[in-house]
Each structure stands twice: as C-alpha cells, then as structure tokens.
C-alpha cells in the first residue's frame, strides 16, 4: 500500500468516526453534555437570578447522558449517537425550544416569576423521576429497549419484580414526572401544561402500541399482569 492509499484510508476512517456509530461523534456529545452538567451546577451555585435554569440544565444533560450509558451496559451492539435520545422526535425538540423561549421571555419581563420558591418542588420531583426511570431500566436490563420491539427475542422475558410490581411502565412514569417537573423548575406556566399534555398523549399511544406486542409475546401472563398492576401513567389503563 503506497502513501496516497494510506492517506485516503485514514481520511475514510476519520470521516466514519463522525457517523452516528462513530466514536468521535459520541465522544463530542458526551463532552458537551458533561460541560452542560458542570455549567448548570455553576449557575445554581453562583447565580442569583437563574438558579432554576442551572438545575434544569444539569438535569437535562444528566438524563441524556444516562440514556447512553444504559445502552453501553445492556445493548452495546446497538450503541450509537442516537442512544443519547437527543433527537427523540421533532415534537420533543420543538417542545424544548418553546420551553427555552418561554423561560427567557418571562425571565426578562417577569423576573420575579423565575425566583418563586416552587422551583424546589420541581427539582425534587425531577430527581425522583430520574431515579425511578433509572431503577426501572436497570431492573429490566436487556429486556428494556428505547424502541418498541415488534418481534420477541429469544432472551426476552416478562419483568414483574422490583419496581415493576407497582407499575407496568415505571420508566415511562419516571420520564413523565421528569418531563413535567423540568418545567416546574423553570416556572414555565405555559410549558407545564403543554409538557403534561404532550407527554400524556405520547405515552398513551406508545403504551397501547407496546402492550399489543407484549400480549402477543407473553399471552395470558401479560394479560393477568395488566389487570392487576397500574400502567404508571395517570388516566391510562
């Protein structure tokens, strides 16, 4: 192999590193999230006017970082930059953008709203939601996936122990609580309602779709489980 071919090969490797399964892209995203966590904590400690935004930023980056870490532990063969769930859906990204815009507009025109002490409640609930989701994902292990599975894998088992004794979809419960709580932290009255409705709508459709496959996979076992255990999302049976 001559020098020109080696250079060409190195360029191909360099470009591939920035593809969705490339190490460079994942490393860059991880670095960015880590910086976001650090910056958020710094805002909380040193700022007098945007402490809530600091907690929100740290919590948001932690959420996405954990999603990636979980995939590395249980589904390393499916690991990619998408594992961060940064591009969860256009609707999710739009909701984030709207919440950012609402926060800074209200912060500018109604600064007292953003220092209201209720944001502590949101912070506590956000941490609770994150813990419940993390515990649920760890309890389910490889049985949990980011995407609804349409075919049953050989190693797929029905998990009903741990936190799954109390709700069928604890990871969705955790995400639901986390999602709405982030807007309580930001004291975004419009987005609190918007995130609550959008999250409920998303999970109502996803649970219905997912449980059709789970009944197909596990039959009577899942039907009995469904009858005796709450879904985890208010108003969804």
């Amino acid at each position: 192999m001559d020098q020109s071919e080696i250079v060409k090969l190195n360029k191909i490797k360099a470009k591939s590193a920035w593809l969705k399964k490339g190490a460079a892209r994942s490393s860059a995203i991880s670095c960015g999230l880590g910086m976001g966590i650090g910056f958020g904590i710094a805002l909380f400690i040193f700022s007098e006017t945007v402490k809530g935004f600091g907690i929100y930023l740290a919590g948001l980056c932690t959420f996405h970082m954990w999603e990636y870490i979980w995939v590395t532990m249980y589904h390393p063969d499916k690991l990619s930059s998408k594992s961060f769930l940064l591009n969860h859906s256009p609707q999710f990204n739009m909701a984030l953008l709207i919440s950012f815009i609402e926060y800074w507009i209200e912060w500018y025109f109604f600064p007292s709203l953003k220092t209201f002490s209720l944001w502590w409640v949101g912070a506590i609930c956000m941490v609770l939601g994150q813990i419940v989701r993390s515990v649920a994902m760890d309890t389910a292990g490889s049985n949990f996936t980011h995407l609804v599975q349409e075919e049953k894998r050989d190693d797929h088992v029905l998990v009903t122990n741990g936190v799954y004794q109390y709700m069928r979809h604890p990871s969705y419960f955790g995400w639901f609580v986390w999602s709405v709580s982030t807007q309580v932290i930001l004291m975004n009255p419009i987005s609190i309602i918007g995130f609550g409705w959008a999250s409920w709508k998303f999970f109502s459709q996803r649970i219905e779709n997912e449980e059709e496959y789970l009944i197909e996979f596990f039959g009577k076992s899942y039907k009995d489980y469904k009858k005796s255990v709450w879904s985890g999302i208010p108003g969804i049976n």
Side-chain angles (χ1 to χ4, degrees), residues 92-147:
F92 178 76
N93 293 336
M94 181 59 69
L96 282 178
L97 177 61
I98 291 173
S99 71
F100 272 44
I101 293 173
E102 179 186 357
Y103 177 84
W104 291 110
I105 288 177
E106 293 173 351
W107 177 83
Y108 184 82
F109 290 104
F110 311 103
S112 61
L113 178 64
K114 302 306 179 183
T115 57
F116 191 59
S117 59
L118 188 63
W119 68 267
W120 277 100
V121 176
I124 293 172
C125 290
M126 181 184 72
V127 173
L128 174 63
Q130 180 67 68
I131 290 174
V132 172
R133 179 168 172 83
S134 299
V135 169
M137 293 168 69
D138 189 58
T139 300
S142 62
N143 297 291
F144 181 91
T145 57
H146 280 152
L147 299 177

Side-chain angles (χ1 to χ4, degrees), residues 69-98:
I69 292 173
W70 177 84
V71 177
T72 67
M73 295 190 297
Y74 293 105
H75 293 288
D77 57 313
K78 298 181 180 178
L79 192 64
S80 74
S81 58
K82 289 187 176 182
S83 301
F84 288 102
L85 291 190
L86 289 172
N87 292 316
H88 174 261
S89 68
Q91 294 83 356
F92 178 76
N93 293 336
M94 181 59 69
L96 282 178
L97 177 61
I98 291 173

